[in-house]
Amino acid sequence: MNALAGMERVMGELTSPDKVLIVDDHSLVRDGLRSIFDDAFPSCEILEADSLQGALQALDTADDFDLVLLDLNIPDVSHLSGLEALRDRFPATPVVMVSGVTDRNVVRDALAAGAAGFVPKSLKRTAIVEALQLVLSGEIYMPELECDETQAAEEDMIRARIETLTPQQRVVLGHLVAGRLNKQIAYELDVSMTTVKAHVSAILQKMNVFSRTQAVIMAGKIGFRG
């Protein structure tokens, strides 16, 4: 549903959650989100977790949460693995992704993976409350993102080039994105340095770049994690 139209439909129909879980590894972000709930939903009970493991423990202890706010990038998750774990274990609990990343492909992938909404941290407080209201009313919140045709074409090109990589080469690219050196990759994959160098050379050739830094930058533009 269009975010604006959905908000207009629920305006005036205040739905207050009883219990919410905020999952973010930065205490300042958790404090900021907590203050939003304190102002908009003063009777709501707020619990916090700084990791996916902490979130799972909280949900296992009390499964009557009305909403989970999950940061896209926390230490013990990779890309959308945190969302997927929560949706698998607690399918009835709405999970809203909260992130500083507003890439349209990341938003699309999160919603496709079962997120009840995607809230950019750059939104104003009132807009965040309206987005949460939309989710609490049973709708899906998707932020309004500018559509840049040039950027979209570049992302499609990058995605097409990465599609040409073999499964092992994608794994190696994921390690490059994570900042690992060849010797670390060799150790992680239990292969020789020569094999790693061959994979890296093939990656650079298929992605049409001249250095691993360029490959990492290119992969980062579409949120590739491996």
Side-chain angles (χ1 to χ4, degrees):
M1 168 177 285
N2 176 273
L4 182 57
M7 286 179 186
E8 289 174 347
R9 195 168 74 81
V10 299
M11 286 300 288
E13 301 174 12
L14 188 62
T15 303
S16 179
D18 294 320
K19 185 184 294 186
V20 169
L21 177 64
I22 298 173
V23 188
D24 197 296
D25 59 316
H26 294 101
S27 59
L28 285 176
V29 175
R30 296 198 305 272
D31 289 345
L33 291 172
R34 174 183 282 275
S35 71
I36 291 174
F37 276 92
D38 287 341
D39 291 341
F41 314 108
S43 62
C44 180
E45 179 183 358
I46 308 294
L47 280 77
E48 300 179 11
D50 61 4
S51 64
L52 175 62
Q53 187 59 38
L56 293 173
Q57 291 175 351
L59 289 163
D60 278 329
T61 302
D63 59 0
D64 56 342
F65 286 92
D66 296 299
L67 194 65
V68 174
L69 271 62
L70 174 67
D71 182 37
L72 178 66
N73 296 311
I74 50 179
D76 56 346
V77 307
S78 175
H79 196 38
L80 296 175
S81 64
L83 169 64
E84 292 164 351
L86 293 178
R87 296 298 299 140
D88 182 60
R89 292 269 295 273
F90 307 95
T93 304
V95 179
V96 173
M97 303 303 296
V98 181
S99 177
V101 176
T102 56
D103 180 270
R104 64 189 181 91
N105 294 301
V106 175
V107 174
R108 179 200 62 193
D109 291 346
L111 297 179
F118 194 104
V119 176
K121 293 179 180 179
S122 58
L123 284 183
K124 294 182 179 180
R125 292 171 68 95
T126 53
I128 292 177
V129 172
E130 290 170 350
L132 297 177
Q133 277 286 293
L134 192 67
V135 172
L136 290 167
S137 72
E139 304 289 350
I140 302 295
Y141 175 76
M142 180 176 180
E144 298 288 342
L145 301 175
E146 293 183 5
C147 183
D148 186 324
E149 293 184 2
T150 301
Q151 179 184 349
E154 180 186 18
E155 291 171 356
D156 289 342
M157 175 271 292
I158 294 172
R159 197 168 288 104
R161 290 183 182 179
I162 290 180
E163 285 292 328
T164 67
L165 302 180
T166 66
Q168 190 75 341
Q169 287 165 0
R170 292 188 195 185
V171 171
V172 172
L173 178 58
H175 283 293
L176 296 180
V177 170
R180 296 188 178 95
L181 302 175
N182 284 358
K183 63 180 181 180
Q184 293 173 309
I185 299 173
Y187 176 80
E188 290 287 338
L189 302 182
D190 193 23
V191 296
S192 68
M193 284 280 287
T194 300
T195 298
V196 173
K197 290 178 180 178
H199 282 316
V200 172
S201 294
I203 290 169
L204 300 186
Q205 182 179 14
K206 290 181 178 181
M207 293 183 69
N208 195 27
V209 293
F210 300 100
S211 71
R212 56 197 292 152
T213 300
Q214 287 179 311
V216 168
I217 292 173
M218 184 177 285
K221 289 182 177 180
I222 63 167
F224 180 83
R225 295 289 189 279

